[in-house]
Amino acid sequence: MTKLSVNINKIATLRNSRGGNNPDVLKTALDIERFGAEGITVHPRPDERHIRYSDVRELKMHLTTEFNIEGNPLEKAFIKLVLDTRPTQVTLVPDTEGQLTSDHGWDTLTYRDYLIDTISMFKEHGIRTSIFVDADVKMIEGAKETGTDRIELYTESYAAQYPKNKEQAIQPFIAAANKANELGIGLNAGHDLNLENLQFFSQKINGLLEVSIGHALVCDAIYYGLENTVQLYKRKLS
């Protein structure tokens, strides 16, 4: 079954908006694990507007499921954080400075040499690597050349088109997934996946190992409660 990794950035955003430690990011992450999620994802950014670097270090000491750290490896502080904490997985994302949220994948052809060097560094330290890519077969082929263990398909376009024509929306992702499977690259996915579109996506994508979901899940938890929401998402993946 596809693993559910919950991105807790929005929990940290809520905490930071008021100061103090409510909600408690660590307690929330441990509860999410207890409620059945198979992983926790964080995406620390240089301005620490949600997850702080100190959160990442504390989480690493206590989490018992897979820990996935996302971020742009152009930031030296990010590289140091990952090497210091040694998460289960590092997901490399080509964010620009001050970017609100991730909105594109790597050009794996243009940045081939840079990605090769960066990925090999993390792998030398025993950290599984994944790179954020668009559903483009050429970018998948380029990803293979970087030596990455996995790719994470950027699913915003699928989510946006799903209400209009879900069959059309899924086609580029099926092609990308098939190419990844053919090349022996592990397959993750994330961005704007939710209770409405997740099940169809997971049923159509062969070899889907993990989805990372944050914003939609936290929003749903306001209505359904956190424990129930984690279980609702897991059922969509079963």
Side-chain angles (χ1 to χ4, degrees):
M1 187 175 72
T2 304
K3 291 182 177 180
L4 171 65
S5 186
V6 177
N7 187 319
I8 59 171
N9 278 17
K10 285 300 187 294
I11 302 298
T13 300
L14 182 58
R15 175 200 61 188
N16 296 352
S17 70
R18 188 68 180 263
N21 194 39
N22 188 23
D24 185 320
V25 168
L26 175 60
K27 182 181 184 302
T28 303
L30 294 176
D31 284 340
I32 289 170
E33 287 186 324
R34 184 165 57 86
F35 298 154
E38 293 89 1
I40 298 294
T41 291
V42 293
H43 189 149
R45 287 184 164 88
D47 60 8
E48 298 189 294
R49 63 181 181 268
H50 33 65
I51 285 291
R52 300 167 182 154
Y53 281 29
S54 59
D55 292 327
V56 177
R57 298 180 190 277
E58 185 176 26
L59 286 162
K60 172 58 179 177
M61 291 189 293
H62 297 280
L63 295 178
T64 57
T65 60
E66 291 198 352
F67 189 28
N68 174 41
I69 303 178
E70 299 180 345
N72 191 331
L74 290 173
E75 296 289 338
K76 292 182 179 179
F78 174 80
I79 291 177
K80 184 177 187 305
L81 179 69
V82 173
L83 294 180
D84 286 349
T85 55
R86 299 201 182 188
T88 314
Q89 176 176 271
V90 59
T91 300
L92 309 182
V93 183
D95 283 349
T96 56
E97 186 175 351
Q99 191 164 322
L100 179 63
T101 187
S102 304
D103 63 7
H104 65 285
W106 286 97
D107 182 334
T108 58
L109 304 178
T110 300
Y111 292 95
R112 175 183 176 275
D113 292 342
Y114 171 73
L115 288 169
I116 288 173
D117 292 342
T118 305
I119 287 166
S120 64
M121 173 185 61
F122 288 130
K123 291 177 72 171
E124 285 172 4
H125 288 80
I127 303 167
R128 188 175 74 220
T129 59
S130 178
I131 56 176
F132 205 55
V133 296
D134 297 314
D136 182 328
V137 168
K138 289 184 178 179
M139 294 300 107
I140 311 302
E141 292 171 339
K144 175 65 175 179
E145 298 301 315
T146 69
T148 190
D149 299 302
R150 297 186 182 186
I151 57 170
E152 179 175 332
L153 293 175
Y154 171 48
T155 51
E156 189 275 337
S157 63
Y158 162 75
Q161 295 177 37
Y162 178 88
K164 304 170 187 176
N165 188 330
K166 63 184 182 181
E167 292 291 347
Q168 182 176 330
I170 197 68
Q171 291 308 312
F173 294 87
I174 292 174
N178 289 343
K179 178 56 68 173
N181 291 330
E182 174 191 325
L183 296 174
I185 307 172
L187 190 61
N188 299 339
H191 207 91
D192 289 348
L193 296 175
N194 57 36
L195 287 175
E196 179 183 0
N197 60 40
L198 178 60
Q199 185 172 47
F200 182 76
F201 186 87
S202 66
Q203 289 173 342
K204 292 288 187 177
I205 301 301
N206 292 326
L208 184 61
L209 299 173
E210 173 189 291
V211 293
S212 176
I213 302 176
H215 182 79
L217 190 149
V218 172
C219 291
D220 288 331
I222 294 172
Y223 289 93
Y224 305 131
L226 185 56
E227 181 174 9
N228 187 40
T229 299
V230 170
Q231 289 300 311
L232 288 172
Y233 275 85
K234 282 176 62 67
R235 283 199 285 274
K236 295 294 184 181
L237 293 169
S238 63

